[in-house]
Amino acid sequence: MRSVLALSSIDFSKHSAVGAYFRKEYIKTGIFDVSMSDIISEAFDIRSDSDYNDYFVISKKEVEEQISNAQYFYDRVEEHVVAQIKDGG
């Protein structure tokens, strides 16, 4: 997400602010598919659970799903960034 925001010289100190801005400016406007919002939410929830829940366990299936989601997200962001660079911003 930060790479997309960086194209507009925008950054935030908190992950939640980056996500909120990305959703507002890039997902709600249709630049990126709404499914990316779900990917952001799931990844953030898992990150929070793993950071703050001493007994958090994730299944192999959930890990595989997160890897697949991350690849999808990465591919869409890469396509967008490359297109923006080619178009001059």
Side-chain angles (χ1 to χ4, degrees), residues 3-65:
S3 61
V4 173
L5 274 57
L7 293 172
S8 300
S9 300
I10 296 170
D11 196 16
F12 299 93
S13 61
K14 295 188 175 225
H15 295 296
S16 59
V18 171
Y21 186 87
F22 186 85
R23 283 183 173 104
K24 178 183 172 199
E25 298 297 326
Y26 295 94
I27 294 175
K28 286 188 178 182
T29 61
I31 294 170
F32 289 105
D33 188 78
V34 71
S35 66
M36 291 179 70
S37 183
D38 295 334
I39 292 170
I40 294 166
S41 294
E42 281 185 44
F44 187 79
D45 289 347
I46 289 170
R47 177 189 174 257
S48 294
D49 287 344
S50 67
D51 282 352
Y52 302 111
N53 181 347
D54 292 338
Y55 302 102
F56 178 74
V57 177
I58 187 168
S59 71
K60 181 178 179 183
K61 181 181 175 188
E62 290 170 314
V63 170
E64 290 168 347
E65 181 181 327

